[in-house]
Amino acid sequence: MKSIDRYMARLIALPLFATLVIAAMLLVLDRIRRLFDFVATQGGPISVVWRMLANLLPEYLGLGIPIGLMLGILLAFRRLATSSELDVMRGVGMSYTRLLRVPYLYAIVLAALNLAIVGYVQPIARYYYEGLRYELRTGALGASIKVGEFTHLGDRMTLRIEESRDKGRDLSGIFVHAQTGKGDWIGVTAERGRFLATDDPNVIIFRLTNGTLIHDRQSFRAPRVLTFSSHDLPIDLPKFENFRQRGGRDLEFTLPELARHGQEAQSEEARDGSRAEFHFRLVEVVTMFLLPLLAVALGIPPKRSTSALGVFLSIVMLVTYHKVNQYAADIGALGRVDPLIALWGPFAIFAGIVVWMYYVTAYVPGGQPIGILERSFAKLAKLFTRWLPGPRRRAREMRAREAETKA
């Protein structure tokens, strides 16, 4: 690489990766609290939260990579423009097209990475995430027994524990109520107890110490009462249904599976849904090749201006276009509009706007697509700050009073 290309690569790398890390952290922080609440409500182990977050990361990266690419290129060109380095490069004959060589290398690599994520990794990760949610709801992950509350182990056993020590190895204040298939019921109270594993993975032993057992049956004249110093109570673990196969939703299909399902599905509704999801993912990846042009058009502020309006506007445009694509995919999945038109139509409009903005910046002398917006926002800012309390306002009021006194 030439020195200018290495310099551009360094300028883009720092904001690009910083944006990826910050975006991922913000999305994780937004979701982690809800995951902790969900896992705690279902009584599952806390370690499952990290497994669920790991399966959510591909979804976050699918949106974070385009934003990181655009901001990395935009902030690099903004730095070149505000430090007058861009004027020097243009003065020695470097065109914007030449300067976009390294940004497009980044775009090609990240677009291929994003295609692998949204096309293959994200659908499988989403399926595993839904599987963890299912296992939490059914208790298949080993739901914890809450101290001081009645816990149902299957349909025929209820357990309550007053106190737990040594990470659940030492339990005290135990009450157990169980029913058998013959109509018997057993009630047990004990001072202490602990769970023990057996050779059968579907059965565990609850070893109780210093307690009383009551056994009742319809044929008994009176319930039988047994006082014990040690008693082993076998507990049959509840059986859970297996989670469904992957592909219950279009979001869980990989790109080749979506293409095949869009042709071979029996119902028209299923075909439209698969085609809409297929084109949505492709449009999101192809859009990344427009981001370097958009970043150049919005990253170069007008002369003698340090406004960051272009940064704000670029994020708004990209997020708005992403939401438009989501709405178009929903419309296409319903069959109201052909998915090909619903998704590639907005892409053509967005591409036309981006190419026009880049053309004005690169080939029109003095062209600045956001110049009008910059001037409009500057006037609004002056009008707003004019009435804010502060030294300038106090100075104006003093001048006004002095003028009235002289008059």
Side-chain angles (χ1 to χ4, degrees):
M1 296 178 66
K2 295 183 179 180
S3 58
I4 184 63
D5 293 328
R6 292 195 297 270
Y7 182 57
M8 289 292 298
R10 289 195 300 270
L11 286 181
I12 295 172
L14 180 60
L16 189 156
F17 293 110
T19 302
L20 280 178
V21 172
I22 293 173
M25 290 178 61
L26 290 175
L27 292 171
V28 165
L29 289 175
D30 176 65
R31 183 61 68 91
I32 192 171
R33 180 184 60 82
R34 287 180 286 175
L35 287 180
F36 270 116
D37 290 342
F38 174 72
V39 173
T41 301
Q42 301 297 329
I46 297 300
S47 60
V48 75
V49 174
W50 314 118
R51 294 166 59 189
M52 298 178 78
L53 283 176
N55 288 315
L56 286 174
L57 280 179
E59 182 177 352
Y60 296 156
L61 290 176
L63 180 60
I65 287 176
I67 294 179
L69 173 66
M70 184 184 62
L71 288 182
I73 299 172
L74 187 148
L75 293 176
F77 274 90
R78 175 180 168 77
R79 177 177 174 180
L80 292 176
T82 54
S83 62
S84 299
E85 292 177 274
L86 185 61
D87 295 332
V88 175
M89 294 177 182
R90 297 281 291 160
V92 297
M94 285 191 178
S95 64
Y96 285 106
T97 304
R98 171 64 182 83
L99 293 174
L100 280 174
R101 178 182 298 178
V102 172
Y104 264 102
L105 289 177
Y106 273 103
I108 292 171
V109 173
L110 291 179
L113 176 62
N114 203 26
L115 179 64
I117 290 175
V118 303
Y120 299 92
V121 179
Q122 184 176 314
I124 298 174
R126 187 185 296 272
Y127 171 73
Y128 288 146
Y129 174 79
E130 293 295 334
L132 288 173
R133 286 174 57 90
Y134 172 82
E135 291 177 354
L136 276 173
R137 289 196 182 99
T138 58
L141 279 176
S144 61
I145 298 174
K146 300 178 182 179
V147 175
E149 298 183 13
F150 288 98
T151 303
H152 299 284
L153 300 177
D155 299 330
R156 298 180 178 179
M157 179 170 291
T158 302
L159 176 66
R160 189 177 190 273
I161 295 173
E162 289 291 342
E163 191 174 356
S164 174
R165 297 189 186 94
D166 194 17
K167 297 182 180 180
R169 297 184 181 91
D170 185 10
L171 308 174
S172 59
I174 298 166
F175 168 79
V176 180
H177 179 273
Q179 291 181 335
T180 66
K182 299 179 180 179
D184 298 7
W185 67 263
I186 298 173
V188 184
T189 60
E191 292 182 3
R192 296 187 178 279
R194 60 184 304 180
F195 289 103
L196 302 174
T198 65
D199 295 335
D200 188 351
N202 297 320
V203 178
I204 60 175
I205 295 296
F206 196 14
R207 179 161 292 173
L208 304 172
T209 305
N210 298 333
T212 303
L213 183 148
I214 302 175
H215 180 200
D216 192 17
R217 183 182 296 175
Q218 292 182 355
S219 60
F220 293 169
R221 294 183 178 180
R224 295 179 179 179
V225 180
L226 171 68
T227 302
F228 58 85
S229 59
S230 179
H231 180 74
D232 289 344
L233 182 66
I235 298 177
D236 294 329
L237 296 178
K239 296 181 179 180
F240 305 102
E241 296 181 359
N242 293 329
F243 187 52
R244 58 176 172 79
Q245 296 294 322
R246 184 174 63 86
R249 303 167 57 190
D250 289 329
L251 297 175
E252 297 173 2
F253 285 124
T254 62
L255 277 178
E257 291 170 344
L258 282 173
R260 185 169 58 253
H261 194 255
Q263 299 293 331
E264 300 175 357
Q266 297 180 355
S267 66
E268 184 176 356
E269 181 180 358
R271 289 195 299 270
D272 289 337
S274 297
R275 292 181 61 225
E277 181 65 21
F278 177 81
H279 288 292
F280 172 76
R281 297 187 197 178
L282 285 184
V283 163
E284 291 285 302
V285 174
V286 175
T287 301
M288 294 182 63
F289 293 101
L290 298 174
L291 298 184
L293 304 180
L294 180 64
V296 171
L298 297 178
I300 302 175
K303 296 298 182 181
R304 297 180 297 278
S305 173
T306 58
S307 172
L309 178 63
V311 180
F312 170 75
L313 189 60
S314 65
I315 297 175
V316 171
M317 288 182 65
L318 187 58
V319 173
T320 302
Y321 176 65
H322 176 71
K323 294 299 181 182
V324 170
N325 281 342
Q326 287 181 331
Y327 176 75
D330 293 338
I331 294 298
L334 294 175
R336 298 179 181 177
V337 182
D338 188 273
L340 187 66
I341 299 174
L343 285 153
W344 291 100
F347 171 80
I349 297 173
F350 183 74
I353 295 173
V354 171
V355 171
W356 172 80
M357 294 175 66
Y358 174 74
Y359 175 81
V360 171
T361 302
Y363 298 103
V364 176
Q368 185 54 250
I370 61 172
I372 298 177
L373 291 176
E374 289 270 6
R375 292 190 291 271
S376 300
F377 272 85
K379 291 180 180 179
L380 288 175
K382 290 180 180 179
L383 183 64
F384 181 72
T385 56
R386 180 179 179 183
W387 303 105
L388 288 177
R392 293 184 178 180
R393 182 173 180 178
R394 288 195 296 269
R396 288 195 301 269
E397 292 175 351
M398 291 178 62
R399 288 195 296 270
R401 284 196 295 269
E402 291 176 358
E404 292 177 357
T405 301
K406 292 179 180 180

